Amino acid sequence: SKSISKCYVQVTGMTCASCVANIERNLRREDGIHSILVALMAGKAEVRYNPAVIHPAAIAELIRELGFGATVMENCGEGDGVLELVVRGMTCASCVHKIESTLMKTKGVLYCSVALATNKAHIKYDPEAIGPRDVIQVIKDLGFTTSLVKKDRSASHLDHKQEIRQWKRSFVVSLVFCIPVMGLMIYMMVMDSQLSDAHAHHNMSSEEMEALHSSMVLEYQLLPGLSVMNFLSFLFCVPVQVFGGWHFYIQASRALRHNTANMDVLVVLATSIAFLYSFIILLVAMAERAKVNPVTFFDTPPMLFVFISLGRWLEHVAKGKTSEALARLISLQATEATIVTLGPDNVLLSEEQVDVELVQRGDIVKVVPGGKFPVDGRVIEGHSMVDESLITGEAMPVTKKPGNTVIAGSINQNGSLLISATHVGADTTLSQIVKLVEEAQTSKAPIQQFADKLSGYFVPFIVAVSVVTLFAWIVIGFVDFEIVEKYFLVSKSLLKHLLKSAEVIIRFAFQASITVLCIACPCSLGLA
């Protein structure tokens, strides 16, 4: 057997079991090929060959001639079995050394490491030469008790319930406080447009306009410089900023700690600056006992948080749906298998129940009527009908007789079958499907990766632009005050006795730069 090597070939274009049979049948006839095993879901063939007669590239070429895509896989470690065991009874480092050295001498064990502190052993082996039960037997013979590390069979790590809850809460809080703020805004807009109509029709002077303006309920000043409108907006904004924005702050701080800037950073920047700027302006107005109410941005944070937390909530609900499907798939796996020993003429000599993780390639497994197939395999003896609908969607049971393949997780219906295990553990069709779905969930769509990469540049760029805007307007203002005066929406008479020109310029510049930040933040990129 020294002259036999093993290689893995990635095969594309296989659609069903007959493709697999086709490849296996044709390659077995070739000189120098010892055995071939094809996994449909993983899209990979494991070939044992004689390197003196044939080489991997030629094997891939043979598969290509059958009409499939085939490339030789470089990393041959793919097919190694991995075993995690709990070993009891170790007392000191010499026990550890004894186990490790004995296992490393055992044929088929590729790597082994035993940790005394956690009582765990991590073993890599070649499933062709040795199996998990053999490894456990070696450790037992040394006088230690050992058991499998229990795998978490539920898909709890794919559960999005907690995220769904937190984003829903964030959305609801933001929405409850956002509606009144929007109401106030709309009311102000309507009143303003009515006022300007009145101004146009009745040729009122600016002073009369101001008088009318300040007589509006919302513009009424509770304290000098603090209007009802601004006070209410502030009250509604605080809870949103704290409770609605909580997760954004956490995620933004994480991103910044890793020196990256994501959409959360933008959201937090814009909302925080809008909130703080408005708050400071209010304080300044109150300190100045201003007659005119300052323009605040308290409406920005609630509205932003509403849209973005709604998006996040929907996203996690969608992900949760996939996880449910996965959890159901995982629950289809059998947990135990009945392994039998056969004598001559397929006479049953003995049988034992073992954990499904302990089934080795080449084991003979007995499946009774009504039982689930624990592993993928080939039927050796028996006739039965098998319900494979969970994998293939085929509602009718499929007839199985010696030589047919069976899929793990499908249900044996009426006859007892003996099968020889071909794919065990992580190689079974069901495990591969679970793995594919998990990968699909954890991997990002290329466009999403592109968007994330963009937002990495986008955030610093926007911050830079808003800073440039700030300084540009300050410079423009000091060079030519007229321009700022034209755009700064406060009536002339008020400008004269209310504000020093420097203050007007700085306020206007700040307003402009905040606007840049606030507009860029809920950009379609982030929302999408």
Side-chain angles (χ1 to χ4, degrees):
S1 76
K2 275 277 170 275
S3 65
I4 286 180
S5 304
K6 186 160 73 165
C7 71
Y8 290 91
V9 182
Q10 187 80 48
V11 184
T12 53
M14 296 190 291
T15 51
C16 61
S18 69
C19 301
V20 172
N22 183 10
I23 294 174
E24 290 185 352
R25 194 176 57 243
N26 282 292
L27 270 112
R28 279 205 189 93
R29 294 186 192 138
E30 300 291 334
D31 287 341
I33 290 185
H34 191 271
S35 72
I36 171 164
L37 189 61
V38 181
L40 175 67
M41 289 306 298
K44 117 182 149 186
E46 181 185 316
V47 187
R48 301 183 73 196
Y49 63 99
N50 182 347
V53 183
I54 196 165
H55 53 95
I59 295 172
E61 188 47 53
L62 287 171
I63 297 177
R64 276 199 288 275
E65 280 168 17
L66 294 173
F68 303 96
T71 47
V72 179
M73 290 163 76
E74 296 304 323
N75 49 344
C76 280
E78 280 290 308
D80 295 342
V82 176
L83 189 59
E84 294 272 348
L85 296 174
V86 180
V87 182
R88 300 252 172 245
M90 296 189 291
T91 52
C92 59
S94 71
C95 300
V96 171
H97 177 67
K98 190 161 83 177
I99 295 173
E100 286 186 347
S101 59
T102 313
L103 278 174
M104 287 306 285
K105 280 189 214 126
T106 310
K107 181 174 171 292
V109 175
L110 307 171
Y111 162 84
C112 157
S113 115
V114 181
L116 180 64
T118 56
N119 286 337
K120 282 207 177 130
H122 185 84
I123 299 139
K124 272 195 181 146
Y125 61 92
D126 175 2
E128 293 283 326
I130 194 169
R133 288 205 311 289
D134 308 332
V135 174
I136 288 176
Q137 195 52 51
V138 171
I139 299 176
K140 277 196 179 134
D141 292 345
L142 291 173
F144 302 99
T145 56
T146 171
S147 60
L148 278 174
V149 172
K150 277 283 166 263
K151 282 212 184 72
D152 177 18
R153 286 182 198 272
S154 68
S156 58
H157 60 291
L158 297 165
D159 189 12
H160 291 271
K161 286 199 181 69
Q162 195 206 341
E163 287 100 329
I164 293 174
R165 263 204 311 276
Q166 74 181 35
W167 288 114
K168 184 179 179 180
R169 195 168 53 226
S170 170
F171 168 67
V172 170
V173 169
S174 309
L175 185 67
V176 166
F177 292 99
C178 168
I179 291 169
V181 173
M182 283 183 69
L184 292 175
M185 263 176 56
I186 292 166
Y187 176 74
M188 287 297 287
M189 283 174 177
V190 171
M191 293 308 283
D192 272 354
S193 68
Q194 283 182 356
L195 277 179
S196 48
D197 286 353
H199 184 57
H201 291 134
H202 304 298
N203 299 328
M204 291 152 65
S205 68
S206 303
E207 279 79 6
E208 286 173 301
M209 264 291 290
E210 280 309 321
L212 223 171
H213 203 250
S214 54
S215 70
M216 279 165 56
V217 180
L218 287 177
E219 288 295 333
Y220 171 74
Q221 294 197 333
L222 297 167
L223 297 168
L226 179 66
S227 68
V228 175
M229 168 81 181
N230 281 338
F231 181 62
L232 287 177
S233 303
F234 171 73
L235 282 189
F236 288 131
C237 190
V238 172
V240 174
Q241 200 67 32
V242 177
F243 300 112
W246 183 250
H247 303 298
F248 291 100
Y249 279 99
I250 293 173
Q251 283 175 308
S253 66
R254 277 185 199 145
L256 289 172
R257 252 182 273 147
H258 295 296
N259 297 328
T260 60
N262 57 6
M263 293 324 287
D264 295 314
V265 174
L266 254 195
V267 174
V268 163
L269 258 183
T271 53
S272 308
I273 294 179
F275 180 74
L276 290 173
Y277 166 78
S278 308
F279 184 56
I280 291 166
I281 269 211
L282 266 192
L283 293 181
V284 170
M286 285 163 71
E288 287 179 352
R289 312 183 78 76
K291 296 275 184 298
V292 171
N293 298 311
V295 178
T296 57
F297 292 113
F298 284 128
D299 51 337
T300 305
M303 294 180 72
L304 262 188
F305 283 139
V306 162
F307 286 122
I308 293 176
S309 52
L310 173 64
R312 298 278 165 94
W313 175 37
L314 293 176
E315 181 185 350
H316 283 289
V317 167
K319 279 185 180 167
K321 292 267 191 294
T322 324
S323 314
E324 274 170 36
L326 243 191
R328 280 207 290 277
L329 255 185
I330 291 175
S331 70
L332 292 168
Q333 290 172 325
T335 53
E336 294 209 313
T338 309
I339 294 179
V340 297
T341 340
L342 294 182
D345 299 336
N346 288 352
V347 180
L348 283 186
L349 297 179
S350 68
E351 54 179 76
E352 60 167 331
Q353 289 282 88
V354 298
D355 251 0
V356 82
E357 281 97 1
L358 292 179
V359 178
Q360 300 172 180
R361 204 183 275 184
D363 275 343
I364 308 297
V365 180
K366 176 176 153 193
V367 185
V368 294
K372 278 183 187 167
F373 290 97
V375 291
D376 291 5
R378 263 196 199 87
V379 180
I380 308 177
E381 193 176 292
H383 282 260
S384 181
M385 303 294 278
V386 174
D387 174 7
E388 292 184 346
S389 58
L390 81 127
I391 307 284
T392 59
E394 172 60 67
M396 295 294 289
V398 186
T399 313
K400 297 288 178 192
K401 53 185 194 295
N404 292 145
T405 50
V406 290
I407 308 173
S410 53
I411 297 160
N412 185 15
Q413 291 194 333
N414 46 20
S416 203
L417 290 178
L418 289 183
I419 64 165
S420 161
T422 53
H423 294 94
V424 296
D427 292 335
T428 62
T429 308
L430 195 56
S431 306
Q432 291 294 334
I433 294 177
V434 170
K435 189 170 136 216
L436 286 172
V437 179
E438 279 182 351
E439 276 171 11
Q441 269 210 299
T442 49
S443 64
K444 286 182 173 168
I447 190 76
Q448 197 177 345
Q449 278 167 333
F450 179 64
D452 284 356
K453 195 161 126 198
L454 271 188
S455 70
Y457 301 118
F458 182 74
V459 178
F461 171 72
I462 290 300
V463 174
V465 170
S466 69
V467 170
V468 169
T469 310
L470 178 73
F471 289 113
W473 276 110
I474 290 177
V475 171
I476 292 171
F478 282 115
V479 171
D480 185 355
F481 185 61
E482 303 276 291
I483 298 177
V484 174
E485 202 172 28
K486 190 168 107 198
Y487 289 114
F488 197 65
L489 306 172
V490 178
S491 62
K492 294 282 181 294
S493 57
L494 273 155
L495 268 180
K496 285 192 187 74
H497 65 258
L498 191 110
L499 300 163
K500 299 169 282 302
S501 64
E503 200 178 328
V504 172
I505 293 166
I506 288 170
R507 257 192 207 191
F508 180 71
F510 206 86
Q511 218 167 320
S513 75
I514 284 282
T515 308
V516 170
L517 257 189
C518 292
I519 287 172
C521 151
C523 71
S524 46
L525 180 75
L527 284 173

